[in-house]
Every structure is written in C-alpha cells, then in structure tokens.
Amino acid sequence: MEIRDAVPGDGPQIWPVLRDVVRAGETYTWPRDVTEEDAEKMWMAAALPNRTVVAVEGDTVLGTAKMGPNHSGPAAHIANASFMVAPEHGGRGVGRALGQYVLDQARADGFRAMQFNAVVETNTAAVKLWQSLGFEIVATLPAGYLHATKGYVGLHIMFRRL
C-alpha cells in the first residue's frame, strides 16, 4: 500500500469510496444522496494547507483522507481530518495507515493539535483506532447523528496534541 497526495485524475477512483461510505448512513455526516460532483468539491483539497491523500494498491484506491485547518485565523493551528476506507478493504490497516500519515503530515505542516468534529459513537472501530493513536473523546453530542439503522446516536468530538 502506498499513500500519496491525490491528483485530479483520482476522482473517478475516489468517488465509489465516498459514495458507498456516505450512502450506508452509518459514519458520515454528508447527505446520503450526495452527487459525485458535490462530493468531489467537498473532498478534493483546493490548495495548501489543505490536503487530500489516497491509499492505493496499484491502480486501486483503498481509502482516502483529507486534512486542513479546523478553523481559520487564531484557531488555524488546530488541524482537522476526515477519512473514508472502501468497505471491501476494511480491516486491512488502511485506516490506521491513513491516520498515522495524516498525523505525521499535520505535524510537519506546523499544526499543534488535531480535532475530529464528528465521530459517530457507534463506529466503534474508528473510535478504538483514534484512541489507539492518542485521541481522547472530549465531548459527545447526545443524539447528534441519525444513524441509518440505530436511530439517533451520539457524535464524539475527539482531540489530540501533536
């Protein structure tokens, strides 16, 4: 597996990952009927310090991540990141590799910490992964997410210093 910066030509390979994760309605806060065009606008980084990366094996996109400042101005030293792994490639360490890569890149880019604004509490694999990489749950928004099968569940805010 190689992790590299995404390029515009990766869009057609990234779209099925975004589509499948979002439409499942279990982990992501985007509208479940997001279009390919809108997803690309939201996911692909326009310019530094924002970045979009892909984890690939050959020509196959296994997963993708995007990162950048969580806020602007005096809060721009806190990074934010989002991750999606193709469901058929889950459990292979893709999420961990992307997470570690993004943490290292954020540190190299001069960020002092990273915050995740919306980790669905029922996404126990992600919560466990982020905790193993040093994140703490700093707050939970009760009933902050409408899960496709479980109804309203909590939405964690997670944080770690870099």
Side-chain angles (χ1 to χ4, degrees), residues 23-159:
R23 290 201 177 139
E26 298 176 349
T27 61
Y28 231 78
T29 61
W30 288 5
R32 292 182 186 140
D33 61 351
V34 67
T35 66
E36 183 174 2
E37 180 182 352
D38 288 342
E40 185 170 343
K41 287 177 190 173
M42 291 188 286
W43 196 257
M44 297 301 280
L48 293 174
N50 297 294
R51 297 176 181 275
T52 302
V53 298
V54 289
V56 296
E57 245 176 25
D59 294 332
T60 302
V61 172
L62 310 175
T64 181
K66 69 174 190 161
M67 64 165 287
N70 195 42
H71 296 288
S72 59
H77 61 283
I78 308 295
N80 177 267
S82 299
F83 303 84
M84 292 196 206
V85 175
E88 66 271 21
H89 296 294
R92 296 183 47 201
V94 176
R96 177 172 293 282
L98 283 166
Q100 191 60 62
Y101 183 93
V102 166
L103 286 168
D104 292 344
Q105 187 62 60
R107 191 176 300 107
D109 287 347
F111 289 101
R112 299 188 59 182
M114 184 169 287
Q115 176 179 323
F116 298 151
N117 299 320
V119 181
V120 178
E121 72 180 353
T122 55
N123 188 357
T124 55
V127 173
K128 182 179 176 182
L129 170 60
W130 304 136
Q131 288 175 325
S132 77
L133 290 175
F135 285 84
E136 296 178 39
I137 297 168
V138 296
T140 301
L141 304 172
Y145 183 82
L146 178 55
H147 191 281
T149 61
K150 298 178 188 211
Y152 288 100
V153 299
L155 203 54
H156 295 317
I157 298 170
M158 300 184 78
F159 177 84

Side-chain angles (χ1 to χ4, degrees), residues 10-23:
D10 290 326
Q13 289 284 328
I14 294 172
W15 166 239
V17 177
L18 303 180
R19 179 196 63 220
D20 293 350
V21 169
V22 171
R23 290 201 177 139

